[in-house]
Amino acid sequence: MNSDQVKTGIERAPHRSLLKAMGYTDEELKRPLIGIVNSQNDIVPGHIHLETIVNAVKTGVTMAGGTPAQFPAIAVCDGIAMGHKGMHYSLVSRELIADSIETMTLAHGFDALVMVPNCDKVVPGMLMAAARVNIPTVIVSGGAMLSLEKNGKHLDLNSVFEAVGSYKAGLIDEAEVLECENNACPTCGSCSGMFTANSMNCLTEVIGMGLPGNGTIPAVYAERVRLAKTAGMKVMEMFEKNIRPRDIMTPEAFRNALTVDMALGCSTNTMLHLPAIAYEAGVPLDLALANEISQTTPNLCKLAPAGPYHIQDLYAAGGIQAVLKELAKKDLVNTSLMTVNGQTIEENIKFAVNKDTNVIRPIDQPYSLSGGIAVLRGNIAPDGCVVKKSAVAEEMLQHKGPARVFDSEEDAIKAIYAKKIVAGDVVVIRYEGPKGGPGMREMLSPTSALAGMNLDKQVALITDGRFSGATRGAAIGHVSPEAAEGGNIGLVYEGDMIAIDILNNTIELDVTDEELAKRRESFVPLEPKIKTGYVARYAKLVTSASTGAVLK
């Protein structure tokens, strides 16, 4: 056992003395020491209730003969951090989470881990750590928030952001905004649509690192507590069989994840997180694979923001296992792969049933024949950029318009609120990438403002930053190379024509190579906006969005 190095032998008497100071008995110290990573805090709705989940995990570990020991992980709420300086700290928290788990795990000699995340950067950060330390690990999330109906419409966090845009456009009054504000987030849990947190929780289940149900059981259901107890028991089985994360997170597992990503229409942020997790697992993952898989993977689900359904509806329809079963009908997923419950995907989906073909379309009746995410390339993004195709109106799948150029999210949102953006425009927001931001801020405020003003079917937005999973419309992010690294997005002038063709995976700045070369002669990228502290250090080490914005 790894933990023998901290608790076995006469030389470890001082170590045992410290453990006994916390009440551990000799019997407990003979058992495997299981680290329980708890990201609970009192500022994130997806994490406010995680003590309940963690206590259930501890019960499961104890029932199965292990000794659980809890330690913390941080968690940032993207919604609360949105639209101000705080968003510089969202993506960068992913690396802090992975680093701190590595630190705590190796410093204390844990034999296995159960990690309890829920929200956007916490799930991938924990998966990165699992791959890095590579001891038996199970991920069990806190579950999704419910969406409740109000005035005939099911609300979610995005509803409130769009309500602000509608208010600014004079379409609704302040009382209507308040009513939306008071009803959009009615329970604890990760925000209720197929936003980034739920996308990653669902893909954790697909990769095999989460138990069936991990992605879709709502936070407030007792079934979520039972799942957590099962996770505690299953990690002990993994320990006994020495099944490790890298045994599960194989190239084929990531291919499955990309396939289900396309079928579900997940957040574009998965195109940052999956490569980062794969990097830690030693698995090469080129974004070109996303388009290859998208070409053969039908889009089966239209969950918010792409459609009217929410995670609770996907759960009721049969969840991720039902989606996998639909895809398996055409051999689009590898069902022979191992998962953390000790069974293969084929065994897990044996009794899965698609209970609602409106929520999960049958494989022969998809919303579209290709997947929900597209990677575009062209002279403005030689290394690629990403769009949630399933959330783009049909009339915006091909669009050409004049560039309206802004060097920050704040400048862009001021122009949008001031009604200076008109139908046909292509809003360009740069110096918001991993290095230039720094931290690659998520920008839900400008996209939701456009949607609230009914411009999402008339205006495109491109950026070297990124978007919330709640974003809808022709919002194209992750433009690489970014402006701060000398990317061509930094050479765009006000009024330049930009042609977007999502159907053919291209994006082009209508400027000759000669003109771009001329502009580059006098081009000096702006410096990162933050020059001290962790984010400044991050800016010096971070790689491109096209490689997952990992630190090297």
Side-chain angles (χ1 to χ4, degrees), residues 14 16 35 74 89 109 120 144 192 247 257 275 282 354-355 473 494 505 516:
R16 290 193 297 274
I74 64 168
Y89 291 85
D120 297 38
S192 56
D247 299 325
N354 184 353
K355 301 174 185 175
E494 184 82 9
N505 304 106
L516 283 176

Side-chain angles (χ1 to χ4, degrees), residues 235-365:
V235 81
M236 295 305 299
E237 289 183 16
M238 293 181 70
F239 169 73
E240 290 160 10
K241 297 175 181 177
N242 195 30
I243 299 171
R244 298 168 181 256
R246 291 193 184 191
D247 299 325
I248 294 171
M249 289 194 276
T250 63
E252 281 300 307
F254 283 100
R255 191 176 182 94
N256 277 355
L258 281 171
T259 301
V260 176
D261 195 336
M262 298 302 166
L264 290 175
C266 289
S267 163
T268 53
N269 285 311
T270 59
M271 295 296 103
L272 279 175
H273 299 320
L274 287 176
I277 299 161
Y279 171 77
E280 296 289 354
V283 175
L285 188 61
D286 192 317
L287 280 186
L289 183 61
N291 277 346
E292 176 190 323
I293 289 174
S294 181
Q295 291 303 312
T296 58
T297 305
N299 180 218
L300 303 181
C301 301
K302 288 276 191 184
L303 292 110
Y309 303 111
H310 291 82
I311 296 299
Q312 67 207 43
D313 302 306
L314 181 59
Y315 163 77
I320 297 305
Q321 301 303 310
V323 175
L324 284 165
K325 192 164 188 174
E326 289 290 348
L327 293 167
K329 291 176 182 177
K330 290 198 172 181
D331 296 322
L332 294 174
V333 289
N334 185 334
T335 60
S336 69
L337 304 185
M338 182 193 314
T339 70
V340 290
N341 68 352
Q343 295 184 310
T344 64
I345 293 172
E346 182 177 13
E347 291 170 317
N348 286 339
I349 66 175
K350 185 176 181 180
F351 299 108
V353 176
N354 184 353
K355 301 174 185 175
D356 190 336
T357 55
N358 291 313
V359 178
I360 305 172
R361 286 281 185 91
I363 194 71
D364 292 321
Q365 300 171 41

